[in-house]
Amino acid sequence: MAAPADPLPDLLIAIPVVILLCKAGARLVRGAGQPPVVGEIAVGLLLGPSFLGWLWPEAQAWLFPPASLPYLGLLGNLGLLIFMFLVGHELQLGSLRSQTRTAAVVSLVSIALPLGLGTLLALGMYGAFAPEGVERLPFVLFIAVAMSITAFPVMARILSDRGMYRTRVGVLALACAAFDDVAAWCLLAAVVAVSTAGSPMEAVTTALSAVAFCLFMVVAVRPLLARLTDRAGRTSTDSLVLVLLFSGLCLSALATDLIGVHALFGAFLFGAVTPRGSRVIEHQTARLRAFAVPVLLPLFFVTTGLRADVGLLATDPVQWLWAGAVLAVAVLAKWGGGTGAARLSGQSWRDAMSIGTLMNCRGLTELIVLNVGLGLGVIGQDLFTILVLMALITTAVTSPVLNRLRKGMPEEEPPAGGRADGEGAEETAAAGAVGAGAAGGRITS
């Protein structure tokens, strides 16, 4: 029996190709005023069966031989875990008090309306798109949650590029997205628990276990990390802190995976309880970011692109009609909900529409959610492709629509103390934040 082929040579070809092409795609769309994630998602789709596999299947088979795909996926998922740790660490809700009431209202409506309309849409799609054996409840819940996503990091990048990061509208939009992000991850955790549980009692057990783990992280792990950080700051053991952070996010991810609410939640939670404002912590998170975001995360985009196949929709006009319905519901629910709630909260029509436009941006966060659904088997490849296209389109239109809405408008700084809580999530140095992230660090996806 012949020994299996060594995948290392294939990986040594595929990894640099993917990284360089994603970097080129990000630079290309950045020049057109788009956030880098649009170019990275597009590159992932182009390298998959939707384009390269259709145009030149031999080249795709050579670049991504089947034996290398599991390893590419593992590396991409590792980058994703680090990314989720960084998002959790840099998402600070405490300093959003000046916008809490308005942000909570806008966020609640911009989640509730997509959940409601997404539920109605999913009920109509169930017969045509639900994989065999998938029950109605997890399918409907997942589609509803997928409709309610806002990409907090991408929104922050757009606001930073436009110089709106510290303006009144920018602060409010970031506050809304921060609340939305936390709520969306909690909802997704519930969907995963329902999807993986064999009975209602198992789902309840999973939920209670997740709550207990969250309490353990806040009550026990957070103070322990604070003491270790303080000791490391006095002894200058920076490299040990890096090892502890990486090991901690991996173990936390393992714990939530064993509980049944996906490893991503553990990484996010560990980031949320990691102390902020410490020089040694911020330095080491910057080191993690400097490697994971430009090197490992592009592999996640490509594995997403390899799973999406527009060709599955090409021969069936009915599926394209469903794709249009998904896009229409996504935009109407998210943009309409955010705009309407902001207007009722006292914002001008133009400011309200700007906030609604920003809340409609989905970016990488949506891709993460979709890959969770595909991995669980709740959705199939055809619906996965439709939802990926929706994420790409809603992200790509955000900047042009915002440019149109804000044209000729002077941007107002918020009152003292009204700074955005998540300033470190995208462009920490540009916003002048201290303790929200490493100086000069950014999450660009």
Side-chain angles (χ1 to χ4, degrees):
M1 182 177 178
D6 183 6
L8 182 59
D10 297 324
L11 290 173
L12 295 178
I13 296 173
I15 290 174
V17 169
V18 167
I19 294 171
L20 292 172
L21 286 178
C22 281
K23 188 69 173 178
R27 283 183 174 271
L28 186 64
V29 301
R30 182 78 185 274
Q34 292 285 353
V37 69
V38 172
E40 292 164 336
I41 296 174
V43 167
L45 289 172
L46 291 175
L47 290 176
S50 299
F51 183 76
L52 183 60
W54 166 74
L55 183 68
W56 193 1
E58 294 82 6
Q60 191 200 42
W62 174 81
L63 184 59
F64 303 114
S68 70
L69 294 182
Y71 300 95
L72 281 175
L74 286 173
L75 291 172
N77 284 329
L78 181 60
L80 194 57
L81 289 176
I82 297 174
F83 178 84
M84 291 306 300
F85 162 78
L86 294 171
V87 171
H89 179 61
E90 296 169 346
L91 184 62
Q92 304 173 50
L93 296 176
S95 52
L96 289 173
R97 293 186 182 93
S98 66
Q99 299 284 356
T100 298
R101 181 175 299 177
T102 302
V105 171
V106 174
S107 181
L108 178 63
V109 174
S110 66
I111 290 177
L113 186 58
L115 284 175
L117 294 180
T119 297
L120 295 176
L121 178 69
L123 289 172
M125 300 177 74
Y126 178 76
F129 288 99
E132 186 176 353
V134 173
E135 296 183 2
R136 190 182 302 271
L137 180 60
F139 178 84
V140 170
L141 288 176
F142 179 81
I143 299 302
V145 171
M147 292 291 107
S148 67
I149 296 299
T150 292
F152 177 83
V154 179
M155 177 197 288
R157 180 58 181 268
I158 292 171
L159 291 172
S160 177
D161 288 346
R162 290 185 51 84
M164 292 177 61
Y165 216 108
R166 299 177 67 89
T167 65
R168 181 178 54 82
V169 172
V171 168
L172 179 56
L174 281 172
C176 296
F179 282 117
D180 194 286
D181 229 25
V182 173
W185 289 118
C186 293
L187 289 171
L188 184 60
V191 173
V192 173
V194 170
S195 302
T196 56
S199 66
M201 183 56 67
E202 286 186 24
V204 171
T205 302
T206 299
L208 292 176
S209 300
V211 171
F213 182 70
C214 289
L215 292 175
F216 169 75
M217 294 292 285
V218 173
V219 174
V221 175
R222 187 184 182 106
L224 177 61
L225 286 173
R227 288 196 296 270
L228 292 174
T229 299
D230 183 61
R231 183 178 302 175
R234 294 196 303 267
T235 59
S236 300
T237 54
D238 284 20
S239 59
L240 176 60
V241 173
L242 179 64
V243 172
L244 289 175
L245 290 178
F246 184 73
S247 301
L249 77 90
C250 289
L251 292 174
S252 182
L254 174 64
T256 54
D257 186 62
L258 293 175
I259 288 171
V261 290
H262 207 279
L264 291 173
F265 302 103
F268 178 85
L269 183 59
F270 186 76
V273 302
T274 299
R276 299 169 177 85
S278 164
R279 179 202 62 80
V280 65
I281 290 288
E282 304 307 338
H283 179 60
Q284 299 311 318
T285 55
R287 291 177 67 183
L288 281 172
R289 179 189 302 108
F291 177 73
V293 173
V295 176
L296 295 179
L297 207 54
L299 303 179
F300 169 75
F301 289 112
V302 168
T303 53
T304 299
L306 291 172
R307 291 172 168 181
D309 187 0
V310 178
L312 293 174
L313 314 179
T315 57
D316 189 351
V318 174
Q319 289 199 334
W320 282 111
L321 291 175
W322 277 116
V326 166
L327 181 61
V329 169
V331 173
L332 176 64
K334 201 68 177 176
W335 179 82
T339 298
R343 177 60 180 160
L344 291 175
S345 298
Q347 306 298 312
S348 69
W349 271 114
R350 191 176 290 192
D351 286 350
M353 287 190 289
S354 299
I355 292 169
T357 299
L358 288 163
M359 295 298 287
N360 190 45
C361 178
R362 286 170 169 84
L364 174 59
T365 309
E366 181 77 24
L367 294 191
I368 296 171
V369 172
L370 298 182
N371 276 275
V372 170
L374 186 64
L376 291 172
V378 177
I379 58 174
Q381 192 179 11
D382 48 0
L383 184 53
F384 176 80
T385 302
I386 289 173
L387 293 170
V388 167
L389 291 176
M390 180 271 289
L392 178 61
I393 293 170
T394 55
T395 306
V397 301
T398 301
S399 288
V401 173
L402 194 63
N403 288 339
R404 181 83 177 189
L405 289 171
R406 309 305 296 179
K407 186 176 182 180
M409 286 194 67
E411 300 294 353
E412 301 174 12
E413 292 282 339
R419 42 185 288 250
D421 170 60
E423 285 175 357
E426 269 293 316
E427 193 76 34
T428 306
V434 176
R442 62 176 67 171
I443 296 176
T444 57
S445 294

